């Protein structure tokens, strides 16, 4: 950046300028050093399944800390970036980018970056950490199993052997495209909310089917196209919160991760100051739909469009397409009336129908059957991502159901470093018994949560989980800075080496600053005393 542009940005955008400085310091302080080209990375070796945002971020943390890895991606090179490689160019972050720092080296140039910038940052991270040569595209993972020596095989031995597995398949797969009764009569155009690039809605009537996150994609398209009018057809009320980082962070501070006796306070504040005259669109009071039961939508455009008369938010049931081909038959329900309850039937005329019906959830069925044994099946796992029967598996960012302030955030690195800690220091690895006890404890603490103990959590609750599991085991204390911030791994590794030397009667173990050798990992994994 030249001196002139530097001064211009400082004068015209002081907050953004300070944000850039903040990101620069984060990169310098917390980013692991990329390995040199053709570096001889030591074992343990990690298999990362999925080349989306989470998979690329997790792999960069692995190689940055000296662990070899291999990324397996089912799709072609163009799928790098996961769901962000498939959505519309008009799509972007609904939460502020400060809450979407999936790696310390990420550098956003604005508060709410668009899809293009997000994919570019994922690609830059992939290249910076030399992951091109460590990624196998067009490789669908069908099964993961152990060889006779206890190491993980991905599909078959030709893909190598691994000491740990990170499943990073996400929660969004192929688009859902339901076919409604009478669809053959419709005279207009029908699209999925992720397939709108190159389309236009200028001067047209638009009907959006759905009221969740996919509806936001459609709204971004509508707002950019200057449609005549848009009807959002939602089956039920859903909480919508402001596109404001301060508000979003405050809501994520609920450490209980569920509805409490005080939840009515933020809910009523939202109705009073955000919904205002549109409070009828919020979930009714005393209903089962509290703010901390489902992932809220983060958007301001909805209310702006409704207030301006360019859009209408209609709650009700879709009955199918009208026989005349002009639109959709819709039963409009009042606030609080349940799905399929009584309503006023009408025809919603439309030139374009957008199915904001979301995506199929990718399956984790390639993992060993033992990890799905009830009652400890996903998301009821240790820290929600480690199966009690297999602590060397980390299902990063693909087991959650609902949350506030979590996806695509700092915890990707934290979960990855938990796994790395377990692999090099078996005294920190929890026994299945204690992993199950942690799940049971969390269920007990959240016994009255409307959706279940692991169905909803906030970022503050996640931080509590991390701190608790580090503090409860003294052998993990030396790893705290490494696990939480990615710094100082050299010290705990030297301590582990001395611990093994004492245990082995003075013989030095295979721990090094770059990982562990095969003898230490295979011989020491379960020979040391198991603890919580």
């Amino acid at each position: 950046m030249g001196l002139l542009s530097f001064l211009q940005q400082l004068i015209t955008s002081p907050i953004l300028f300070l944000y850039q400085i903040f990101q620069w310091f984060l990169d310098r302080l917390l980013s692991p050093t990329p390995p040199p080209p053709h570096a001889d990375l030591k074992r343990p070796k990690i298999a990362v399944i999925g080349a989306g945002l989470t998979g690329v971020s997790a792999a960069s943390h692995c190689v940055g800390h000296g662990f070899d890895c291999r990324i397996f991606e089912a799709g072609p090179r163009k799928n790098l970036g996961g769901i962000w490689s498939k959505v519309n160019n008009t799509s972007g972050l609904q939460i502020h980018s400060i809450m979407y720092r999936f790696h310390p080296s990420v550098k956003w140039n604005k508060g709410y970056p668009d899809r293009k910038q997000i994919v570019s940052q994922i690609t830059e991270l992939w290249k910076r950490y030399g992951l091109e040569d460590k990624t196998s595209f067009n490789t669908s993972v069908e099964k993961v199993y152990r060889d006779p020596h206890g190491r993980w095989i991905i599909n078959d031995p030709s893909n190598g052997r691994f000491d740990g597995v990170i499943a990073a398949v996400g929660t969004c797969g192929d688009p859902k495209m339901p076919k409604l009764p009478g669809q053959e009569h419709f005279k207009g155009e029908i699209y999925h909310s992720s397939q709108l690039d190159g389309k236009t809605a200028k001067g047209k009537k638009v009907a959006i089917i759905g009221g969740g996150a996919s509806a936001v994609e459609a709204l971004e398209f509508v707002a950019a196209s200057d449609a005549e009018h848009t009807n959002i057809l939602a089956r039920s009320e859903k909480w919508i919160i402001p596109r404001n980082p301060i508000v979003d962070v405050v809501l994520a501070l609920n450490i209980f991760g569920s509805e409490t006796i005080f939840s009515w306070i933020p809910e009523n504040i939202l109705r009073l100051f955000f919904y205002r005259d549109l409070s009828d669109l919020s979930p009714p009071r005393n209903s089962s739909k509290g703010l901390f039961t489902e992932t809220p939508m983060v958007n301001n455009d909805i209310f702006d469009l409704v207030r301006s008369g360019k859009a209408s938010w209609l709650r009700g049931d879709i009955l199918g397409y009208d026989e005349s081909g002009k639109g959709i038959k819709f039963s409009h329900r009042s606030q609080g009336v349940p799905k399929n309850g009584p309503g006023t039937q009408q025809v919603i005329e439309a030139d374009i129908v957008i199915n904001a019906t979301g995506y199929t959830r990718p399956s984790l069925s390639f993992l060993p059957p033992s990890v799905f044994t009830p009652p400890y099946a996903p998301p009821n796992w240790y820290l929600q991502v480690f199966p009690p029967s297999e602590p060397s598996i980390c299902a990063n960012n693909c087991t959650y159901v609902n949350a506030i302030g979590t996806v695509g955030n700092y915890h990707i690195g934290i979960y990855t470093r938990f796994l790395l800690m377990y692999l090099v220091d078996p005294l920190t690895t929890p026994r299945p018994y204690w992993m199950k006890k942690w799940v049971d404890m969390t269920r007990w603490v959240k016994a009255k949560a409307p959706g279940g103990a692991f169905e909803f959590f906030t970022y503050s609750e996640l931080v509590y989980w991390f701190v608790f599991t580090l503090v409860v085991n003294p052998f993990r204390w030396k790893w705290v800075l490494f696990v939480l911030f990615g710094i100082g791994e050299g010290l705990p590794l030297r301590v582990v080496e001395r611990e093994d030397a004492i245990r082995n009667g003075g013989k030095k173990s295979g721990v090094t600053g770059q990982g562990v050798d095969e003898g230490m990992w295979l011989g020491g994994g379960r020979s040391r005393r198991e603890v919580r």
Side-chain angles (χ1 to χ4, degrees):
M1 180 184 293
L3 178 61
L4 182 61
S5 59
F6 175 85
L7 294 174
Q8 184 179 18
Q9 185 180 40
L10 176 60
I11 295 171
T12 58
S13 306
I15 295 179
L16 184 58
F17 175 79
L18 292 175
Y19 186 31
Q20 299 296 335
I21 296 297
F22 171 71
Q23 294 185 100
W24 183 87
F25 274 108
L26 283 181
D27 184 18
R28 291 295 183 274
L29 292 173
L30 302 180
S31 291
T33 303
H38 311 296
D40 182 21
L41 299 173
K42 305 296 182 182
R43 301 243 301 254
K45 187 175 182 180
I46 317 296
V48 179
I49 303 171
L53 178 150
T54 301
V56 171
S57 177
S60 70
H61 285 290
C62 289
V63 300
H65 293 299
F67 294 78
D68 199 2
C69 75
R70 168 63 55 181
I71 301 175
F72 297 92
E73 167 56 43
R77 166 66 175 80
K78 68 177 183 179
N79 282 16
L80 182 68
I83 187 62
W84 285 111
S85 69
K86 303 173 184 178
V87 297
N88 308 303
N89 286 324
T90 54
S91 298
L93 285 186
Q94 296 301 310
I95 59 174
H96 195 278
S97 57
I98 198 170
M99 299 176 70
Y100 206 77
R101 297 195 56 79
F102 57 90
H103 193 273
S105 68
V106 169
K107 293 183 178 65
W108 303 119
N109 59 23
K110 54 185 176 181
Y112 297 92
D114 57 21
R115 173 253 186 199
K116 184 177 180 181
Q117 187 185 165
I118 296 168
V119 173
S120 71
Q121 285 296 303
I122 298 171
T123 304
E124 175 62 27
L125 186 66
W126 184 67
K127 292 179 178 178
R128 180 181 182 185
Y129 284 86
L131 299 174
E132 301 102 312
D133 296 333
K134 298 180 181 297
T135 303
S136 298
F137 289 109
N138 298 306
T139 305
S140 178
V141 175
E142 305 296 335
K143 60 179 179 178
V144 174
Y145 63 98
R146 289 189 184 274
D147 69 7
H149 300 288
R151 301 190 70 199
W152 292 110
I153 302 294
I154 308 299
N155 289 340
D156 61 70
S158 66
N159 289 314
R161 289 171 166 79
F162 302 88
D163 303 297
V165 176
I166 296 177
V169 296
T171 60
C172 297
D174 296 327
K176 291 180 182 177
M177 279 291 283
K179 184 171 182 179
L180 300 175
Q183 184 168 316
E184 67 277 5
H185 301 303
F186 185 56
K187 298 176 182 178
E189 303 163 275
I190 302 175
Y191 305 115
H192 187 266
S193 58
S194 64
Q195 301 166 338
L196 301 175
D197 280 344
K199 312 296 190 302
T200 181
K202 185 176 178 62
K204 296 183 179 182
K205 297 176 182 178
V206 179
I208 298 175
I209 297 177
S214 295
V216 173
E217 280 190 76
L219 277 170
E220 289 164 337
F221 164 75
V222 169
S225 294
D226 192 24
E228 176 186 336
H229 189 82
T230 302
N231 285 296
I232 303 167
L233 311 180
R235 291 199 65 190
S236 60
E237 301 91 350
K238 188 174 180 69
W239 281 104
I240 304 171
I241 61 178
R243 205 181 188 197
N244 182 295
I246 296 176
V247 174
D248 299 343
V249 168
V250 169
L251 292 176
L253 290 178
N254 175 0
I255 194 170
F256 298 102
S258 64
E259 287 287 295
T260 71
I261 58 174
F262 302 108
S263 294
W264 64 270
I265 297 176
E267 291 168 4
N268 282 343
I269 289 176
L270 285 171
R271 289 188 180 99
L272 182 62
F273 294 104
F274 185 53
Y275 284 84
R276 303 198 304 275
D277 55 314
L278 301 175
S279 61
D280 176 67
L281 303 184
S282 67
R285 290 177 173 83
N286 301 318
S287 71
S288 61
K289 284 209 169 184
L291 181 59
F292 300 100
T293 57
E294 293 182 358
T295 303
M297 291 173 59
V298 186
N299 194 267
N300 296 337
D301 294 340
I302 294 173
F303 295 149
D304 292 341
L305 288 169
V306 172
R307 290 190 177 102
S308 67
K310 292 184 177 180
S312 300
W313 182 286
L314 306 178
R315 177 197 309 105
D317 302 300
I318 295 173
L319 307 177
Y321 284 86
D322 182 58
E323 291 78 1
S324 67
K326 294 181 178 180
I328 295 174
K329 292 188 293 185
F330 187 72
S331 178
H332 189 189
R333 289 184 273 105
S334 299
Q335 185 185 45
V337 177
K339 296 175 183 177
N340 299 315
T344 303
Q345 187 169 324
Q346 60 188 108
V347 175
I348 305 298
E349 294 188 359
D351 303 305
I352 298 176
V353 172
I354 301 175
N355 286 298
T357 44
Y359 304 84
T360 59
R361 191 177 187 112
S363 173
L364 290 170
S365 60
F366 53 81
L367 294 176
S370 60
V371 307
F372 302 106
T373 303
Y376 303 103
N380 300 307
W381 284 349
Y382 185 65
L383 297 180
Q384 205 183 53
V385 302
F386 294 99
S389 61
E390 299 289 356
S392 60
I393 292 176
C394 174
N396 209 336
N397 257 4
C398 54
T399 56
Y400 79 94
V401 180
N402 287 292
I404 290 183
T406 55
V407 182
N409 216 308
Y410 313 92
H411 65 282
I412 295 174
I414 294 175
Y415 275 135
T416 301
R417 291 188 293 270
F418 262 110
L419 176 64
L420 301 183
M421 175 183 70
Y422 295 160
L423 295 183
V424 300
D425 188 357
L427 284 176
T428 67
T429 306
R431 288 192 307 174
Y433 174 83
W434 289 112
M435 296 171 83
K436 293 177 180 178
K437 287 298 181 185
W438 182 89
V439 173
D440 294 340
M441 179 195 70
T442 305
R443 282 174 171 159
W444 178 79
V445 170
K446 301 180 69 172
K448 295 184 179 180
F454 293 93
E455 301 300 307
F456 184 99
F457 61 92
T458 63
Y459 210 81
S460 296
E461 183 183 14
L462 201 60
V463 171
Y464 152 71
W465 292 355
F466 294 154
V467 172
F468 174 82
T469 54
L470 287 169
V471 169
V472 75
N473 182 343
F475 291 101
R476 297 175 190 151
W477 294 355
K478 60 183 176 293
W479 291 97
V480 168
L481 288 178
F482 172 71
V483 170
L484 295 181
F485 304 106
I487 58 178
E489 74 267 22
L491 174 61
L493 281 172
R494 287 195 294 272
V495 174
V496 171
E497 187 177 46
R498 289 197 294 271
E499 290 172 347
D500 277 343
I502 294 173
R503 181 179 63 86
N504 295 330
K507 181 181 178 182
K508 187 176 181 180
S509 74
V511 179
T512 70
Q514 294 295 310
V516 296
D517 65 21
E518 183 174 359
M520 186 272 175
W521 171 240
L522 294 179
R526 282 336 239 175
S527 63
R528 305 178 79 193
R529 183 167 55 89
E530 293 178 304
V531 294
R532 300 184 185 185

